[in-house]
Amino acid sequence: MIKKILPTSCLFALLLGAMPLNAAPTDGASDNFDAASEEALTTETAPTAESAATSAEVTLAKEEEAKEMATGDAASEESAAKEGEEATPPKKRWRLLAGRSDIFDLDGYMRVRGNIYHNLDLGNEASRFSKGPSGESTSASFDMRLRLEPVINITQFIRVAATFDVLDNVVFGSNPAGDATMLSHTQGDSFLADAIKVRRLWLEADFFSGHLRVIAGRVPSHFGLGMYYNDGNCLDCDLSDAADRIQLVIDLDVISIAPTFDMISSGLANPYNINSDQPLDFDNVDDAFEFSLQLGRRHTQQEIAELTGAGKMLVDWGAAPIFRHQARAVKSTYNAATGSLSDAYYRTDANTYALDAWVGFYSEQLSLELEGLFLYASYKVENDEVDTKRTALQWGFAFEGRYRPKQLARKLEVSLIAGVASGDDSKGFGFNDPDSQAGAGDTSVNNFQFHPSYHVDMILFRQLVGTVTDAFYIKPSVSYLFTDHFGGMAGVLYGQALYANSTPSREKSPLGVEINVELFFRSDGVVGVEGFDYPWGRNVKRISGETKSQPAKGGVIGSLSYGLLFPLKGWRNPNLSVLDEDERDPETMVHAFLARVGVVF
């Protein structure tokens, strides 16, 4: 729940130990202070008898009086509860640091995904996909991932957290039978990537009952809906953002203020530090860094459920002004072993200014969220002329709305998602190579790209384009829980490019109409996890992020999904050498059959 603010005048008294302070502690705060001091703070001293009463009688009288007071307090609290009033919480004291908690926590999940796609190449060579060597248009595979998120609790307020992915998206059969290199090494000859990946590692220290938090390390980065910064914590996500970060989070009850420094790139490492295992940054001129100030107020998913269930309405918000800079960058042709350091860099003079903002409205029946971003950047690339500078003027918006009719609030949900990302009239969407949007006489790169882990569909944007960019979409859908454990979802998405010149056709903007249908199962322990669009989606985050990404206690979740895409004229291939003009159009339909099974813990 929302914490009370520590007055400035009391802060110095706390540090000096001059006086006890009263406040509500954060969840799980330690109460292991001196018992005698606590008794002195909470119990009134009874007067001693001046007659011949013995010390035993005095003690007995005190015990009886305490029992009577406890009985009276209980009766008062019971009466207040019956009248719908909140009982006064027991008084606690602020502590600079608390005692030890459970030393080790482990969260995570194991997932297995089955994927069948048909006709991703569209049959006319207009897609970024192509047929296999056999000419087949159907692709079928299974992949897996084990995610481990351990937390070492040094005290209640000091912790070290990490994220590990084991066999991350490893396709079944990619390690030939009998090749056991993966059992003894993190990188075997038959693997394209490490079998164990350390995604994130950071420390957190909370002071003054959580009103000041210090975060340092490789930290998950997420903001708002995840349109721009996305930590990839949903169970069906593949990519994620992690920043080498130092952050202070100041929680002032009605607002959180988080000044943040991210080291994007340190460039060349020190080449002459050969007698030490400690690497050093060789030169600061090639460093890329980012400053941001994250502001906002956001309740947790549990708090939203509790408060809206009590009939309250909530308005949360967040804003993050961002500045990123790099003066020089290392040349792609530079060889550290043979090259001269005087010829290692080129001037990039890169500066980025952005504002990411988010607002959410919640009630018992309605949920509305909107995120928007504006970005301006200027920079030079390696092969540009000396005076040639490229610019980027980008913007994007994402909206999510959910409505639950009061009569069927726990069964039916009607939702609408919509979004738009700025574009560029250059050829192509620029997903794999944004700089391809600039060319001779064109120095602008205005295609904004949603984060690939912000999923809106199964085929059109997630697979064919790669993400939402230079386009808009709208998708109404309906979800229904048949029982507490089984449910279904159906939705229809329409997508269209902002510039016809960006599509393969170079003439038509409509991209496609996609139908998504899903049946899902979830056990009791994972009721709080949304996702795979409905049962496995993103997790609600505070503005500064949370140590644990999964709110569930643990259990099994699974889904069967079907996607059907009707590609439109935007996917026509005018360069296809065929006699029949109609053969340049895409095939009638693209199919996707997806199966997911996961265990969360």
Side-chain angles (χ1 to χ4, degrees), residues 307-514:
L307 294 173
T308 57
K312 297 183 179 181
M313 292 186 294
L314 303 175
V315 177
D316 288 353
W317 64 278
I322 302 164
F323 171 71
R324 188 180 304 143
H325 173 75
Q326 184 179 26
R328 290 179 173 84
V330 181
K331 292 182 178 179
S332 60
T333 57
Y334 174 70
N335 188 318
T338 61
S340 171
L341 290 175
S342 61
D343 194 39
Y345 305 116
Y346 71 93
R347 293 197 64 88
T348 182
D349 293 328
N351 292 292
T352 299
Y353 309 88
L355 176 63
D356 195 354
W358 164 87
V359 63
F361 169 83
Y362 309 99
S363 70
E364 187 175 6
Q365 296 178 250
L366 187 63
S367 169
L368 302 173
E369 295 181 88
L370 176 67
E371 182 177 359
L373 179 134
F374 292 91
L375 180 149
Y376 173 79
S378 61
Y379 62 99
K380 297 177 183 177
V381 296
E382 184 172 353
N383 296 320
D384 276 349
E385 298 294 334
V386 175
D387 297 327
T388 302
K389 180 172 288 189
R390 301 190 180 188
T391 62
L393 182 61
Q394 303 176 0
W395 50 268
F397 292 92
F399 169 80
E400 296 184 9
R402 293 176 172 83
Y403 173 71
R404 300 177 180 89
K406 192 170 185 179
Q407 297 80 0
L408 298 170
R410 297 181 60 84
K411 295 289 185 180
L412 179 65
E413 179 179 273
V414 180
S415 64
L416 175 69
I417 63 173
V420 58
S422 64
D424 194 298
D425 60 1
S426 298
K427 182 180 179 180
F429 290 107
F431 173 68
N432 294 320
D433 182 13
D435 281 325
S436 66
Q437 299 298 292
D442 181 9
T443 60
S444 63
V445 181
N446 296 332
N447 289 49
F448 176 70
Q449 297 183 4
F450 280 28
H451 196 284
S453 286
Y454 185 77
H455 302 153
V456 300
D457 60 7
M458 295 168 57
I459 303 173
L460 178 59
F461 290 108
R462 186 171 181 181
Q463 298 296 340
L464 295 185
V465 179
T467 189
V468 178
T469 180
D470 194 351
F472 72 86
Y473 65 90
I474 183 170
K475 181 182 181 181
S477 60
V478 177
S479 303
Y480 190 81
L481 287 175
F482 306 113
T483 70
D484 289 339
H485 303 292
F486 291 93
M489 182 277 296
V492 180
L493 177 139
Y494 173 77
Q496 179 172 316
L498 297 185
Y499 291 90
N501 200 46
S502 298
T503 68
S505 72
R506 308 291 298 273
E507 297 177 348
K508 304 293 184 180
S509 297
L511 295 176
V513 176
E514 180 175 336

Side-chain angles (χ1 to χ4, degrees), residues 106-352:
L106 180 63
D107 293 282
Y109 62 82
M110 170 68 187
R111 78 180 184 197
V112 176
R113 304 186 298 184
N115 310 284
I116 300 177
Y117 292 101
H118 176 68
N119 204 26
L120 281 178
D121 63 297
L122 297 177
N124 66 345
E125 303 177 9
S127 166
R128 64 192 185 107
F129 292 89
S130 59
K131 290 183 173 68
S134 65
E136 282 287 330
S137 295
T138 301
S139 171
S141 63
F142 288 89
D143 63 68
M144 70 182 93
R145 172 198 276 174
L146 172 63
R147 170 157 290 189
L148 302 174
E149 297 179 310
V151 179
I152 302 174
N153 298 295
I154 312 304
T155 71
Q156 285 283 67
F157 280 36
I158 301 177
R159 66 198 69 88
V160 176
T163 301
F164 301 90
D165 284 340
V166 182
L167 299 186
D168 181 33
N169 288 349
V170 170
V171 176
F172 282 22
S174 60
N175 192 66
D179 185 349
T181 56
M182 69 175 186
L183 300 179
S184 56
H185 302 283
T186 61
Q187 188 172 12
D189 294 337
S190 60
F191 271 78
L192 297 178
D194 284 350
I196 301 176
K197 297 179 180 179
V198 182
R199 295 288 187 188
R200 305 179 283 228
L201 177 64
W202 76 100
L203 63 87
E204 295 182 1
D206 292 349
F207 301 91
F208 314 122
S209 297
H211 285 269
L212 173 64
R213 173 178 294 181
V214 179
I215 303 173
R218 182 157 294 181
V219 183
S221 182
H222 192 98
F223 187 86
L225 294 174
M227 178 189 73
Y228 187 57
Y229 289 115
N230 195 306
D231 58 14
N233 276 340
C234 77
L235 297 182
D236 197 30
C237 289
D238 296 308
L239 301 176
S240 61
D241 285 338
D244 293 341
R245 171 173 295 176
I246 298 175
Q247 183 180 58
L248 299 179
V249 183
I250 305 168
D251 187 354
L252 299 179
D253 235 6
V254 296
I255 186 174
S256 292
I257 304 173
T260 303
F261 171 78
D262 294 344
M263 177 59 74
I264 307 299
S265 173
S266 59
L268 293 175
N270 195 334
Y272 53 76
N273 191 32
I274 58 176
N275 295 321
S276 173
D277 290 333
Q278 181 183 6
L280 299 175
D281 186 3
F282 176 69
D283 201 335
N284 291 331
V285 298
D286 60 346
D287 291 354
F289 55 84
E290 177 179 297
F291 290 102
S292 64
L293 182 63
Q294 299 184 17
L295 310 169
R297 178 176 184 253
R298 187 165 195 169
H299 294 81
T300 65
Q301 191 173 13
Q302 181 179 356
E303 290 171 343
I304 292 174
E306 292 176 352
L307 294 173
T308 57
K312 297 183 179 181
M313 292 186 294
L314 303 175
V315 177
D316 288 353
W317 64 278
I322 302 164
F323 171 71
R324 188 180 304 143
H325 173 75
Q326 184 179 26
R328 290 179 173 84
V330 181
K331 292 182 178 179
S332 60
T333 57
Y334 174 70
N335 188 318
T338 61
S340 171
L341 290 175
S342 61
D343 194 39
Y345 305 116
Y346 71 93
R347 293 197 64 88
T348 182
D349 293 328
N351 292 292
T352 299

